[in-house]
Amino acid sequence: MFAREGYTTIFVTVIFALIVSGIARYIEPHWTAYLLYTAMAVLIAFILYFFRDPDREITVGDNVVISPADGKIVQIKEVDEERYIKGPATQISIFLSPLDVHVNRIPVTGTLEYLEYEPGMFLAAYDHRASELNERADFGVKHPSGTKIFFRQITGLLARRIVYHIDKGDKLEVGKKFGMMKFGSRMDILVPPEVEVNVSEGEKAVAGKTILATINP
């Protein structure tokens, strides 16, 4: 099963590989052609692997904040969030390597009240400056309890495109797919002080399954 955001990339890659392989038939010496065949097969395999979209058993709950992305939790820190929460918050940062599943999922049930796309740089996603300097999409969700949760998709050195399919005013359901980031990226989730963080730096997060935090009713 593949992410719909990858259909065009998969198609273009396969066509490119077929063209290169067709040209390679006429290249001398013949061992060069075999190298090109192998390279094209590896390229197609990587693209198919990158855009995989495995079935997930979603962690459900009225007061949970689940991971919106697969990856390693590289940072948990206290910050001042001035865009949506407008006050102190705990930031949980997840780094996605090119080998992680890049399909993103809604971290919390609620109404999407804030949405802003910010142009920026393309620092490596594991660089903590990427949260503020890189190109990103910011989202603010108001949970039914009134608690505000903020999260952002962040480009990386290789990830040059962010895709999302939600809009301001939408009613969001935890665990539903909402987009993806292509080829290595970062996801930040920010929660206010009254929300209990349930993870630690260095842990592996799984989109739709790992509970990052719990909203106290």
Side-chain angles (χ1 to χ4, degrees):
M1 192 172 185
F2 302 105
R4 59 174 178 166
E5 294 87 353
Y7 289 168
T8 299
T9 303
I10 292 171
F11 176 77
V12 170
T13 301
V14 170
I15 295 301
F16 172 76
L18 290 174
I19 291 172
V20 171
S21 298
I23 295 172
R25 295 178 56 192
Y26 304 99
I27 295 178
E28 296 289 347
H30 292 304
W31 61 265
T32 306
Y34 290 114
L35 285 178
L36 287 173
Y37 296 154
T38 302
M40 292 302 101
V42 170
L43 176 62
I44 291 175
F46 171 74
I47 292 298
L48 292 176
Y49 184 76
F50 179 86
F51 286 107
R52 68 196 186 281
D53 184 11
D55 288 334
R56 290 278 167 86
E57 185 175 340
I58 304 301
T59 301
V60 296
D62 293 336
N63 298 312
V64 297
V65 179
I66 64 169
S67 179
D70 285 16
K72 182 179 179 181
I73 298 173
V74 293
Q75 187 178 49
I76 299 177
K77 68 174 184 176
E78 304 304 314
V79 300
D80 285 319
E81 201 295 295
E82 300 300 334
R83 293 174 177 81
Y84 179 64
I85 296 176
K86 298 187 183 300
T90 302
Q91 175 179 308
I92 305 168
S93 298
I94 300 171
F95 169 68
L96 295 78
S97 80
L99 299 181
D100 287 313
V101 174
H102 274 57
V103 174
N104 299 150
R105 294 178 180 270
I106 301 295
V108 66
T109 294
T111 302
L112 185 63
E113 292 190 324
Y114 180 89
L115 171 58
E116 195 72 36
Y117 191 88
E118 297 282 349
M121 301 172 64
F122 296 96
L123 299 174
Y126 54 78
D127 188 327
H128 296 323
R129 296 175 300 167
S131 293
E132 294 296 333
L133 298 179
N134 277 19
E135 187 169 329
R136 60 196 181 274
D138 293 342
F139 307 90
V141 180
K142 189 173 184 178
H143 184 262
S145 66
T147 303
K148 292 183 174 182
I149 306 297
F150 183 81
F151 62 101
R152 55 164 60 107
Q153 296 173 304
I154 306 167
T155 61
L157 187 63
L158 296 178
R160 297 302 178 101
R161 190 180 175 204
I162 289 173
V163 181
Y164 53 87
H165 309 293
I166 53 178
D167 206 351
K168 192 182 296 185
D170 288 353
K171 303 295 184 182
L172 306 181
E173 182 180 342
V174 65
K176 295 294 185 181
K177 302 171 191 175
F178 77 92
M180 77 178 305
M181 301 173 288
K182 297 185 178 181
F183 303 112
S185 43
R186 182 184 180 104
M187 180 76 78
D188 287 349
I189 303 89
L190 291 87
V191 298
E194 64 269 20
V195 175
E196 179 184 358
V197 175
N198 302 125
V199 291
S200 303
E201 288 184 8
E203 289 185 30
K204 175 72 175 180
V206 179
K209 300 190 71 173
T210 302
I211 298 176
L212 299 180
T214 304
I215 299 171
N216 297 314

